[in-house]
Amino acid sequence: MLGKLLKHEWKAVWKVPVLLICILMISAVVAGGTFALPIWDSEWVGLPLSGMMLIFMFYFAMIAVVLGVMIYFAVRYYKNMFSDEGYLTNTLPVSARQLLLNKVITMSVWNLIAMIAVGVSIFVFFAIMLFSLTPMDSSFARELVEAVRAWPEALNSPYMDGFEGFCLGILCLVVTGAFSGSMMLIGAITLGQMVRKHRILGAVGAYIGFNVIVQILGTGFFLPMMFKILEYDNIFSQQSPFPILTLFYFVVAGMSLLLGLGLYFMSEYLISHKLELE
Amino acid sequence: MNVLVEVNNLTKVYEKKKMALNHMNLTIPRGKIIGLLGPNGSGKTTLIKIINGLLVPTEGEVLVNGRKPGPESKACVSYLPERTYFQNSMQVSELINFFSDFYADFRPERARQMLANLNISEDARLKTLSKGTKEKVQLIMVMSREAQLYILDEPIAGVDPAARDYILRTIISNYNENATVLLSTHLISDIEKVLDEVIFIRDGRVILQDTVENIRECKGKSVDAYFREVFAC
């Protein structure tokens, strides 16, 4: 049944995030492409200003994709589970766990896709910008190829020690972040349903509350670690900063995972034991 | 086993100590069309929601086929709520696929036939349909299942007399004879002719459960007239 839930959920939701991502990519190409135009040296201030506005548009598009996807899935979760549509969702012959897993998986995967899309769009923007700024007859392309070729050698330097683990740490952080970010929303909306007369207000309050708690705990827990990292963060040192950063990222990823799991079990308990549709 | 639903000592208390169900006891047999009747706020919808697992009781339990509300009970209960509950962006054909995927007892050919009878296109999106047509689509989906228990909450409220006749015809002609239909409504005179039994509810308690025939014979009046007498303000 979880497979069927995922199939229908995926079919129902893909259009909006794909549209947002398409807009982001177009913005990246347009913003990067402005550097190829002869507008920056123009005497009329309107032209460079238009270019800057297009770059700002790309910046806002990045924020819009991440926030847009989050808000879209949060609203969908609320509507599907607790509004009129909840009368269908909650009478399907599936368990509360399957219902929740369906929502969590879909939301987390799309959050992840949105983050990857933002990363790709930044790459696209800078790639177009670099190639636009470089004259066609320059040796830029050749230098770029040489730099890529030199990369494996650079990895062998002591300064780059533990780089692979660091990349794995970032990957874990991004994946657990997508999960815990989704669970913060799902948990807050589910907990908000306990405030019978003001469910949306309850959800917003719970979300703010979760964030405050996470910030307080995070600051208390990670501040000593940050000082340790700063000791390593010396570019003149030959010591690699990656092992300590990797440790830091894995600890944050672990905390993020724990937070997500805690909120997941809370939400599952509330849906299976405290569900009260209006 | 002739008992389909058992309600034991069921109590539901909402906020501000409002008691919607008050230690209710009830058994619902198989193979009947039963009217769940009572004035506003008597607890009909609360009872229906608890049977469907949309509310959690404060005390007591409901058993459908001997099981508490959950995936197994939901697989054999076909529920029509009093509100439009499908996603507006869906096409009617998508709804048919959705129901086919989740309910083993859903009969898509029956749904298609009923839709065709009403000239409702399968390609139509729900947001393009009128409220009345949406309600008919909902009823068609619910009645296209071969469920053991159909729970219809106010299925004829707010529709014109012609639509009422259509809805009642749809219910009568589509329900499985071994199944039970539980109909909650205020419009007793409209549905009286199709009912086998009635359950009167007041203040969260069952005050009467009897056959329509018995009421007519013993009280010498219709269910509608008897309801008016019992619940006179």
Side-chain angles (χ1 to χ4, degrees), chain A residues 40-103:
Chain A
W40 300 102
D41 299 327
S42 168
E43 285 182 6
W44 181 52
V45 71
L47 283 176
L49 206 62
S50 306
M52 280 173 71
M53 281 183 73
L54 286 170
I55 294 167
F56 272 120
M57 198 182 75
F58 167 56
Y59 177 72
F60 287 122
M62 285 193 287
I63 297 169
V65 165
V66 175
L67 278 182
V69 167
M70 273 176 66
I71 293 168
Y72 172 67
F73 280 97
V75 170
R76 184 175 163 80
Y77 175 72
Y78 171 75
K79 283 179 72 179
N80 263 194
M81 296 293 290
F82 304 114
S83 73
D84 287 356
E85 289 173 16
Y87 281 74
L88 178 62
T89 310
N90 290 294
T91 51
L92 291 174
V94 297
S95 62
R97 174 165 295 178
Q98 287 170 325
L99 281 179
L100 195 58
L101 276 176
N102 168 43
K103 297 292 180 190

Side-chain angles (χ1 to χ4, degrees), chain A residues 93-171:
Chain A
V94 297
S95 62
R97 174 165 295 178
Q98 287 170 325
L99 281 179
L100 195 58
L101 276 176
N102 168 43
K103 297 292 180 190
V104 174
I105 292 169
T106 312
M107 199 189 283
S108 302
V109 168
W110 274 110
N111 274 342
L112 200 59
I113 292 172
M115 283 193 263
I116 293 168
V118 167
V120 171
S121 72
I122 291 171
F123 177 80
V124 168
F125 170 73
F126 278 107
I128 294 176
M129 185 184 80
L130 280 174
F131 281 99
S132 302
L133 288 174
T134 312
M136 297 301 284
D137 56 349
S138 83
S139 58
F140 175 71
R142 196 174 62 240
E143 284 168 9
L144 194 66
V145 171
E146 278 171 15
V148 172
R149 278 188 185 153
W151 180 246
E153 201 179 314
L155 280 178
N156 291 329
S157 76
Y159 191 73
M160 296 297 281
D161 189 33
F163 182 72
E164 294 86 350
F166 170 75
C167 290
L168 193 66
I170 289 184
L171 187 69

Side-chain angles (χ1 to χ4, degrees), chain A residues 19-31:
Chain A
L19 179 70
L20 287 172
I21 289 168
C22 285
I23 293 170
L24 172 66
M25 291 305 166
I26 292 166
S27 303
V29 171
V30 171

Side-chain angles (χ1 to χ4, degrees), chain A residues 1 4-5 7-8 11-12 15 76 80 83-96 98 194-197 271-278, chain B residues 12-16 49 52-56 70-72 74-75 77 79 81 83-88 90 94-95 97-103 125 145:
Chain A
M1 281 294 187
K4 287 177 183 174
L5 284 170
K7 183 185 93 176
H8 285 281
K11 204 173 153 190
K15 287 175 192 161
R76 184 175 163 80
N80 263 194
S83 73
D84 287 356
E85 289 173 16
Y87 281 74
L88 178 62
T89 310
N90 290 294
T91 51
L92 291 174
V94 297
S95 62
Q98 287 170 325
M194 301 301 111
V195 187
R196 305 272 177 252
K197 299 287 177 197
I271 291 171
S272 53
H273 291 85
K274 302 281 178 190
L275 183 68
E276 302 237 330
L277 284 200
E278 276 181 276
Chain B
K12 179 66 189 176
V13 182
Y14 288 116
E15 279 179 346
K16 296 178 184 170
K49 283 185 183 176
N52 282 291
L54 299 174
L55 281 179
V56 180
E72 295 85 5
K74 289 171 186 176
V77 177
Y79 170 47
R83 52 185 81 200
T84 49
Y85 67 130
F86 292 150
Q87 288 172 42
N88 264 329
M90 286 180 102
E94 287 174 334
L95 270 179
N97 291 337
F98 188 88
F99 269 65
S100 301
D101 267 355
F102 287 104
Y103 299 108
R125 287 200 183 274
R145 287 181 58 192

